[in-house]
Amino acid sequence: MRTVVAVTERVAETPSTVTLRFPYPTAAVPGQFVMLWVPGDDELPMSLSYTDGPSKGVTVKAMGGTSRRVQSIRPGDRVGIRGPYGNHFDLSPKRVLIVSGGSGAAALAPAAGRSIAAGSSVTVALGATRAPELLFKERFRAMGAHVEVATDDGSEGAKGFVTAVADRLLQSESFDAVWTCGPEVMMKKVIAAAAPRSVPVFCSLERHMKCALGMCDACAIGPYHVCVDGPVFPAPRLENLSDFGTFHRDSSGRRVPL
Amino acid sequence: MRTVVAVTERVAETPSTVTLRFPYPTAAVPGQFVMLWVPGDDELPMSLSYTDGPSKGVTVKAMGGTSRRVQSIRPGDRVGIRGPYGNHFDLSPKRVLIVSGGSGAAALAPAAGRSIAAGSSVTVALGATRAPELLFKERFRAMGAHVEVATDDGSEGAKGFVTAVADRLLQSESFDAVWTCGPEVMMKKVIAAAAPRSVPVFCSLERHMKCALGMCDACAIGPYHVCVDGPVFPAPRLENLSDFGTFHRDSSGRRVPL
Amino acid sequence: MAELAVRCAGVNLRNPFLLASGVWGESGESLAGAWSAGAGGVITKSIGSVPRPGYPNPTIEAYERWGLLNAMGLPNPGIDEYPREIEIARRAGATVIGSIFAGDPEEFARLAVRMAATGVVALELNLSCPHAEGFGTEVGGTPENVEKVVRAVTKAVTIPVIAKITPNTGDAAGLALAAQRGGASAVSAINTLRALAIDVHLRRPVLSHGLGGLSGPAIKPVGLACVWQIFEKVTIPVIGVGGIASAQDALEYVMAGARALEVGTQVTFDGIGVFGRLATDLSRLLDELGFARLEDAVGVAHRASSVPPE
Amino acid sequence: MAELAVRCAGVNLRNPFLLASGVWGESGESLAGAWSAGAGGVITKSIGSVPRPGYPNPTIEAYERWGLLNAMGLPNPGIDEYPREIEIARRAGATVIGSIFAGDPEEFARLAVRMAATGVVALELNLSCPHAEGFGTEVGGTPENVEKVVRAVTKAVTIPVIAKITPNTGDAAGLALAAQRGGASAVSAINTLRALAIDVHLRRPVLSHGLGGLSGPAIKPVGLACVWQIFEKVTIPVIGVGGIASAQDALEYVMAGARALEVGTQVTFDGIGVFGRLATDLSRLLDELGFARLEDAVGVAHRASSVPPE
Ligand SMILES: Cc1cc2nc3c(=O)[nH]c(=O)nc-3n(C[C@H](O)[C@H](O)[C@H](O)COP(=O)(O)OP(=O)(O)OC[C@H]3O[C@@H](n4cnc5c(N)ncnc54)[C@H](O)[C@@H]3O)c2cc1C
Ligand SMILES: Cc1cc2nc3c(=O)[nH]c(=O)nc-3n(C[C@H](O)[C@H](O)[C@H](O)COP(=O)(O)OP(=O)(O)OC[C@H]3O[C@@H](n4cnc5c(N)ncnc54)[C@H](O)[C@@H]3O)c2cc1C
Ligand SMILES: Cc1cc2nc3c(=O)[nH]c(=O)nc-3n(C[C@H](O)[C@H](O)[C@H](O)COP(=O)(O)O)c2cc1C
Ligand SMILES: Cc1cc2nc3c(=O)[nH]c(=O)nc-3n(C[C@H](O)[C@H](O)[C@H](O)COP(=O)(O)O)c2cc1C
Ligand code: FES
Ligand code: FES
């Protein structure tokens, strides 16, 4: 079920994120993820940051041990890929607001791309800790998206949380849908901001994953399994889940604060 | 892989042969056989004597224990069926001579039927020990075949072997093919009779069968497995096989005289 | 519609299809979800004395729709935290069976007491993990060990105890008999078959642990043989598990001697809706074959057979 | 093209793919046919002291293309008549390995002498039939019995002896080690897994014998685990068998530790042409993966793995 592929291209997107491209002809839809196996280390869920054509890609942020190890992968190195798994963004809305925190842009960029190609207008509220960490800013712009930026330290765009930018945009413009990916607390705020305007919000969630087949329960949140019922959830499904934005489960299945 | 079916009809064809009909929609071609499981007893290869439509049939001669047990089956009783297996008669020849010994008519009758329906002319040399044992005589006639009969005791038709009738027909008429099924010594004689006239002969063979999947080797004759390479063989494939007409293998795989 | 409710190991089940341990069993909401999808009962993930993260990924490998290899490494939140999850499932009305694993009879007994205190209706002892060192064959590989563990547990608790037998043995029936001697109320068979996959491009085992366990349709014929042989030897009920994907599979197990069933891997292939479907289909199949109650079909294939068991 | 020829158990094989015992092995012409289809060698049907008809039909049950259940019951013409068949295969140039089965060490030794006299290049001892009373676990189920049988045979003959190990055990490696102690030149693993199918309409086992053995792709992961564990313990060559359907399957076995391979069930699904195809495909696959010789890949997965065997 796994395909071992040699990485063809490595792009340092920001100081902390790296994109790996590899041949993987299986069709994929923006929002879906793959399981990326780093032989000898671990296998991690990664959103496809490039979904179109035979060459796919993932964009990985340095977090713990394995993601750092992923970053040291060079063209020619081999990784295992299975998937794509999960559901995806509904690309039918014509006016979309994207709210991206940190590496969340990885899941959102291909959705923006296909959406604009299909004639939609896309506005991106792009957040990061500091200017160099703004992931896919140029890529979004090159697609034709309108990009507004926020950084924690104010080194580019608005200073502070990207949710403030999103809030402003939601007040000043009309949108048919909001797509968001990033820390759950951020997504919770996005949901709150969109609520008064009745704009439907779709959140892409991250949970610990093992099987990605809806079996092992590692990725359970409330009645859902993020690997098969998600990763994209309409906000109403999440709002009543006590763990959303507060708890996740670690590798042993223990509930631990986010 | 087996389908358990309830027998719908039982016809005593001759004093020693019984036809069982049963629903079995899988498509079949004349010449093919099924494995007929008599629960609690054994499973035997049986040519399909009725190949057309969803109701198939086999015609069984009382030989040893199991075939006698088959004859005691009544409508409503259940049997297991798998198949159809094996190759089949090539129905393209326009003028066909059929030479049938004993229960061989079971394999040949459906071939005659489809052949005549497709516009061919079919002559049948039908042999049996005695008149009441002439299997499918009326069925062949009703199809429009020309039937000539031989019985060992002369109780109907020519007295003696059906091969004599076949020999006469081959001398007096032109045929594009000969199809034969019956004791191997009989089929050997048919091949010999057809040789001077260069009429191709196709023989349907019987060998001990277990798997019917070309694996267990029970049905081996020379380099062939009757279950997958046969049961229908063009004569040239058989002529150089030392066992043809002389030896077969018993259930243990020992070569024993026919 | 034929009656699917059965009593097995002293537990009333609304239908024989239990969620197998290790599938959808880490969180209370998932257990509750399996129950509301129609499972006759739910068995928890095997819980140990302390939290265990399990092995690193890759932990699974799938073979089309006929097999699944896993070496999760018994990840579980540990008995201190797990009662919370059971509580959620019980509040949803689920019939919950608590699965536990341990390294020796004493640890089994201590854990059993804690698990029993959560209000589960029965315990299942995982005596059969094929890939976790110290918790598999070590406790479940010989009749002596099985008997010791089961006896220690049955002495410690009052609720029914089900011993889950390994198929990685020459004599599953001997292990089951030992469980019966130890006081088990039922045995379940089978756990996964010890198995391996290798990635030829990377020249290494696929699973991080190397060896794992095979489940799914591929092991149904093996599970049936175990249940058949066990049924010939024991008098306590047998719970059939391994590769059940259809009502027909289920009925094969029942006719081989199973009174209840567990379903695991098929949840992966069909989703949790498999429970509702299995119950409906089995009831229909029993009708078609002239059985008024599932119970009437338990073990019937032994009577028909003229062939002595091995 | 990568070199497929290997020397295994003192026998030179033009390629590693041997016809497995029990498939196409009753008649000399079939053995010859498998050889001319490209098999690296052919193993005869397991031959006993006297002719044996085997069990009545049904003797097999197929599961799509992933599994096959059989209980043939060791039909064979007996050692008096069988040399004729071997002679036919040898005249065709085939490398023939003679498989034998018996009920005790003495009978094994007597049969071995007779089989060796036919000119086979090696013997394979069937210590692992999962369904024939008196010839399966009875002779191959414990290390003690395996060692006794193998020792009796290796004392009686001078040609190499291969012990075929059962997977119906908790410890295949222990059995293999016993075979090595007994003097075996190689071990082969695995034979079929004990298994069962039930016909729910007829309420009885499908096979006349009831229990049978499972083969085909379904058992590949189990065979790989056995070969892996055996390779860790023994120094003699291991022959991998069980569910080999593709060059990739073959290479998995080789990387797990197999020096030669046997192919049985896939002959049913693909026809005898499977041998030519496997050899061509494997040679290509080795090229692609940078192996000049099959030999270089034997056991490589053990080196890569950081995980200790169980
Ligand atoms: C559907 C999905 C899509 C994702 N897409 C991306 C992406 O596009 N880019 C990106 O950089 N990251 C993505 N992640 C997160 C990524 O999988 C890892 O969680 C992250 O890389 C940290 O891994 P680590 O082992 O380096 O960190 P560790 O130091 O081991 O752990 C840091 C955090 O990562 C979590 N983690 C560890 N292993 C896993 C696992 N198997 N599954 C999920 N979380 C795990 C831990 O629970 C912990 O909270 C995605 C996660 C999911 C579920
Ligand atoms: C392809 C094929 C088609 C056949 N079609 C018919 C048919 O249409 N009508 C018909 O009456 N018979 C047919 N037979 C023969 C039939 O399968 C049996 O051989 C026959 O019915 C005798 O079986 P028994 O068990 O009653 O006899 P037994 O007394 O057991 O044996 C009598 C003979 O039958 C042979 N036999 C027993 N078991 C088998 C077996 N599993 N496979 C083959 N031969 C066996 C024995 O070798 C022996 O020579 C066919 C056989 C084959 C191979
Ligand atoms: C991913 C996975 C995890 C499992 N975890 C456990 C476990 O923790 N305890 C246990 O007793 N069995 C465990 N099993 C075994 C199953 O409960 C079941 O016995 C086995 O999978 C066969 O049934 P199936 O073919 O229906 O899956 C696990 C199986 C799988 C596939
Ligand atoms: C129909 C059949 C008959 C078999 N007969 C024998 C036998 O006589 N002796 C033996 O050692 N193994 C026998 N086997 C086992 C095979 O040799 C082999 O070990 C097993 O089938 C696994 O390999 P496969 O999956 O490639 O078939 C038989 C297998 C089948 C399917
Ligand atoms: S990762 Fe296993 S259920 Fe989602
Ligand atoms: S019946 Fe088994 S090979 Fe033909």
Side-chain angles (χ1 to χ4, degrees):
Chain A
M1 65 189 285
R2 279 172 192 77
T3 307
V4 171
V5 297
V7 168
T8 47
E9 200 185 334
R10 176 187 185 280
V11 181
E13 304 284 1
T14 77
S16 75
T17 51
V18 162
T19 293
L20 302 176
R21 302 292 299 264
F22 46 83
Y24 197 72
T26 315
V29 191
Q32 289 190 298
F33 66 97
V34 294
M35 292 298 286
L36 173 75
W37 178 24
V38 187
D41 193 324
D42 208 332
E43 186 192 45
L44 290 173
M46 285 292 157
S47 298
L48 283 172
S49 58
Y50 292 89
T51 52
D52 299 348
S55 170
K56 303 290 191 296
V58 293
T59 301
V60 183
K61 191 179 174 75
M63 302 279 288
T66 309
S67 51
R68 277 179 208 288
R69 175 93 181 261
V70 171
Q71 295 208 335
S72 70
I73 287 173
R74 291 288 174 275
D77 289 355
R78 283 171 308 175
V79 296
I81 301 287
R82 60 185 174 101
Y85 293 116
N87 66 359
H88 54 86
F89 290 106
D90 168 13
L91 300 179
S92 61
K94 289 283 140 208
R95 294 166 304 172
V96 179
L97 172 63
I98 281 178
V99 188
S100 168
S103 64
L108 296 163
R114 280 210 198 170
S115 203
I116 292 168
S120 296
S121 80
V122 173
T123 303
V124 181
L126 189 65
T129 48
R130 54 197 182 91
E133 288 295 354
L134 287 162
L135 181 60
F136 291 145
K137 187 182 66 181
E138 295 313 323
R139 184 177 170 200
F140 280 120
R141 289 213 168 116
M143 286 171 189
H146 172 67
V147 181
E148 302 230 5
V149 162
T151 53
D152 296 358
D153 66 357
S155 51
E156 186 172 337
K159 180 173 159 69
F161 293 130
V162 69
T163 46
V165 176
D167 202 28
R168 179 171 49 75
L169 287 164
L170 281 161
Q171 284 183 38
S172 60
E173 293 176 39
S174 293
F175 296 100
D176 302 322
V178 180
W179 301 338
T180 179
C181 183
E184 286 185 19
V185 280
M186 177 200 94
M187 295 194 284
K188 264 194 132 155
K189 285 190 189 157
V190 173
I191 293 173
R197 287 118 202 155
S198 309
V199 186
V201 179
F202 298 86
C203 305
S204 177
L205 257 58
E206 293 184 4
R207 277 291 185 277
H208 203 93
M209 285 189 184
K210 294 182 175 179
C211 70
L213 301 174
M215 172 178 58
C216 73
D217 225 21
C219 69
I221 176 168
Y224 306 118
H225 292 94
V226 175
C227 65
V228 293
D229 301 317
V232 180
F233 290 90
R237 289 193 153 200
L238 301 174
E239 281 161 322
N240 298 324
L241 300 183
S242 57
D243 284 6
F244 178 57
T246 56
F247 282 89
H248 75 140
R249 286 174 192 269
D250 68 10
S251 188
S252 74
R254 272 193 301 183
R255 287 172 75 244
V256 290
L258 265 176
Chain B
M1 65 190 285
R2 281 172 191 77
T3 307
V4 171
V5 297
V7 168
T8 47
E9 201 186 332
R10 177 187 184 279
V11 181
E13 303 285 1
T14 76
S16 75
T17 51
V18 161
T19 292
L20 301 175
R21 302 293 299 264
F22 47 83
Y24 196 72
T26 315
V29 192
Q32 289 190 298
F33 67 96
V34 293
M35 293 298 286
L36 173 76
W37 178 22
V38 187
D41 192 323
D42 207 333
E43 186 192 46
L44 291 173
M46 285 290 158
S47 297
L48 283 173
S49 57
Y50 291 88
T51 54
D52 300 347
S55 171
K56 303 291 192 294
V58 293
T59 301
V60 184
K61 190 177 173 78
M63 303 276 291
T66 309
S67 50
R68 276 180 207 285
R69 178 91 181 263
V70 171
Q71 296 209 334
S72 70
I73 288 173
R74 290 290 175 274
D77 290 354
R78 283 171 311 173
V79 296
I81 301 286
R82 60 185 175 101
Y85 293 116
N87 66 1
H88 54 86
F89 290 105
D90 167 14
L91 301 179
S92 61
K94 288 284 138 206
R95 295 166 302 173
V96 179
L97 172 63
I98 280 177
V99 187
S100 168
S103 65
L108 296 163
R114 279 212 200 169
S115 204
I116 291 168
S120 296
S121 80
V122 172
T123 304
V124 181
L126 189 66
T129 48
R130 56 199 181 92
E133 288 295 353
L134 287 163
L135 180 61
F136 289 145
K137 188 181 66 181
E138 294 314 322
R139 185 176 169 201
F140 280 120
R141 289 213 166 116
M143 287 171 190
H146 171 67
V147 180
E148 302 230 4
V149 162
T151 51
D152 295 358
D153 67 356
S155 52
E156 186 172 337
K159 181 173 158 68
F161 292 130
V162 70
T163 46
V165 176
D167 202 28
R168 177 169 51 73
L169 287 164
L170 281 162
Q171 284 184 38
S172 58
E173 292 177 40
S174 294
F175 295 102
D176 302 322
V178 179
W179 300 338
T180 179
C181 184
E184 285 184 21
V185 279
M186 176 200 95
M187 295 195 284
K188 264 195 133 155
K189 285 190 191 159
V190 172
I191 293 172
R197 286 115 202 158
S198 310
V199 185
V201 178
F202 298 87
C203 305
S204 177
L205 257 59
E206 294 185 3
R207 277 290 183 278
H208 203 93
M209 286 189 184
K210 293 182 176 180
C211 70
L213 301 174
M215 173 178 56
C216 73
D217 224 22
C219 69
I221 176 168
Y224 306 118
H225 292 94
V226 174
C227 65
V228 292
D229 302 316
V232 179
F233 291 89
R237 290 193 151 199
L238 300 174
E239 281 161 321
N240 297 322
L241 300 183
S242 57
D243 284 6
F244 177 56
T246 55
F247 282 90
H248 75 142
R249 288 174 190 269
D250 68 11
S251 186
S252 75
R254 271 194 299 185
R255 287 172 74 244
V256 289
L258 265 176
Chain C
M1 296 286 275
E3 178 60 60
L4 292 185
V6 283
R7 193 172 164 80
C8 178
V11 179
N12 290 321
L13 302 172
R14 62 181 182 183
N15 73 52
F17 297 105
L18 308 173
L19 177 72
S21 181
V23 174
W24 274 52
E26 226 164 64
S27 89
E29 287 90 344
S30 292
L31 291 172
W35 174 258
S36 63
V42 295
I43 306 180
T44 69
K45 174 83 197 158
S46 291
I47 302 300
S49 305
V50 294
R52 232 180 107 98
Y55 303 132
N57 283 343
T59 43
I60 65 121
E61 168 81 3
Y63 302 92
E64 294 154 33
R65 284 178 64 92
W66 58 256
L68 194 117
L69 176 67
N70 91 83
M72 308 307 297
L74 292 171
N76 78 95
I79 193 66
D80 288 344
E81 302 216 357
Y82 198 72
R84 176 195 173 274
E85 311 294 343
I86 293 180
E87 191 47 37
I88 293 172
R90 290 186 61 220
R91 272 206 307 268
T95 301
V96 184
I97 295 170
S99 173
I100 54 174
F101 73 95
D104 58 53
E106 293 69 37
E107 190 191 354
F108 258 111
R110 281 193 305 273
L111 252 176
V113 170
R114 305 257 335 251
M115 183 57 97
T118 65
V120 294
V121 296
L123 297 179
E124 182 175 77
L125 311 184
N126 182 353
L127 302 171
S128 44
C129 185
H131 52 70
E133 281 78 14
F135 301 114
T137 34
E138 294 79 359
V139 290
T142 65
E144 295 70 36
N145 290 349
V146 167
E147 186 173 347
K148 268 187 216 150
V149 169
V150 175
R151 176 155 300 128
V153 171
T154 52
K155 275 189 176 165
V157 299
T158 53
I159 57 174
V161 173
I162 303 161
K164 190 165 178 184
I165 299 298
T166 181
N168 299 300
T169 171
D171 184 18
L175 299 179
L177 202 56
Q180 174 171 306
R181 281 195 305 270
S185 298
V187 291
S188 47
I190 56 177
N191 209 312
T192 54
L193 291 171
R194 192 181 293 118
L196 178 75
I198 285 181
D199 188 286
V200 296
H201 292 89
L202 300 173
R203 308 180 184 187
R204 62 160 63 240
V206 172
L207 304 187
S208 77
H209 180 260
L211 296 169
L214 184 67
S215 61
I219 72 168
K220 184 193 71 169
V222 177
L224 283 170
C226 288
V227 167
W228 176 274
Q229 294 188 298
I230 291 171
F231 184 81
E232 295 274 338
K233 279 221 182 152
V234 304
T235 53
I236 54 178
V238 186
I239 301 174
V241 48
I244 296 175
S246 69
Q248 183 157 325
D249 297 333
L251 194 49
E252 282 194 71
Y253 269 104
V254 170
M255 289 183 172
R259 249 189 118 66
L261 306 161
E262 300 177 15
V263 178
T265 301
Q266 203 59 24
V267 171
T268 302
F269 297 137
D270 290 352
I272 203 71
V274 69
F275 282 101
R277 183 171 61 71
L278 283 172
T280 313
D281 289 357
L282 180 58
S283 192
R284 274 211 204 103
L285 182 58
L286 288 167
D287 286 349
E288 185 193 323
L289 301 182
F291 291 98
R293 292 181 312 234
L294 177 74
E295 276 190 328
D296 301 337
V298 175
V300 292
H302 291 261
R303 276 171 249 154
S305 167
S306 53
V307 179
E310 207 172 56
Chain D
M1 296 286 274
E3 177 60 60
L4 292 186
V6 283
R7 193 172 162 80
C8 179
V11 178
N12 291 319
L13 302 172
R14 61 181 183 182
N15 73 52
F17 296 106
L18 307 173
L19 176 73
S21 181
V23 174
W24 272 52
E26 225 164 64
S27 91
E29 288 90 343
S30 292
L31 290 172
W35 174 257
S36 63
V42 296
I43 306 179
T44 70
K45 176 81 198 160
S46 291
I47 302 299
S49 304
V50 293
R52 229 179 108 97
Y55 303 133
N57 282 343
T59 44
I60 64 120
E61 170 80 3
Y63 302 93
E64 292 153 36
R65 284 177 65 90
W66 58 256
L68 194 117
L69 177 67
N70 93 81
M72 308 307 298
L74 292 171
N76 78 96
I79 193 64
D80 290 341
E81 302 215 358
Y82 198 71
R84 175 194 173 274
E85 311 293 342
I86 292 180
E87 191 46 37
I88 293 172
R90 290 186 62 220
R91 271 206 307 268
T95 299
V96 184
I97 295 171
S99 172
I100 55 173
F101 73 95
D104 58 55
E106 293 68 39
E107 190 189 355
F108 258 110
R110 281 194 305 272
L111 252 176
V113 171
R114 304 252 344 245
M115 183 57 96
T118 65
V120 294
V121 296
L123 297 179
E124 183 176 77
L125 312 184
N126 181 353
L127 301 171
S128 44
C129 185
H131 52 70
E133 279 80 14
F135 302 112
T137 35
E138 293 80 358
V139 290
T142 65
E144 296 70 38
N145 289 349
V146 168
E147 187 174 344
K148 268 187 216 151
V149 169
V150 176
R151 175 154 301 128
V153 171
T154 52
K155 275 191 175 163
V157 299
T158 54
I159 58 174
V161 172
I162 303 160
K164 189 164 181 185
I165 299 297
T166 181
N168 299 301
T169 171
D171 183 18
L175 298 178
L177 202 57
Q180 175 171 305
R181 280 196 305 271
S185 298
V187 290
S188 47
I190 58 177
N191 209 313
T192 54
L193 291 172
R194 192 181 295 116
L196 178 75
I198 286 181
D199 188 286
V200 296
H201 292 90
L202 300 174
R203 308 179 183 189
R204 60 160 63 238
V206 172
L207 304 188
S208 76
H209 180 259
L211 296 169
L214 184 67
S215 62
I219 72 167
K220 184 193 71 167
V222 176
L224 283 169
C226 287
V227 167
W228 176 275
Q229 294 187 299
I230 290 170
F231 184 80
E232 295 274 339
K233 281 222 182 153
V234 303
T235 53
I236 54 177
V238 186
I239 301 174
V241 47
I244 296 175
S246 70
Q248 182 157 327
D249 296 334
L251 193 50
E252 282 194 72
Y253 269 104
V254 170
M255 289 183 171
R259 253 190 115 67
L261 305 161
E262 300 177 15
V263 178
T265 302
Q266 204 58 24
V267 171
T268 300
F269 297 137
D270 291 352
I272 203 72
V274 71
F275 282 101
R277 182 171 63 70
L278 282 173
T280 312
D281 289 357
L282 180 57
S283 191
R284 277 212 201 101
L285 182 58
L286 288 167
D287 286 349
E288 184 191 324
L289 301 182
F291 292 97
R293 292 182 312 237
L294 176 74
E295 275 189 329
D296 300 338
V298 175
V300 293
H302 292 261
R303 277 170 250 157
S305 167
S306 54
V307 179
E310 207 174 54

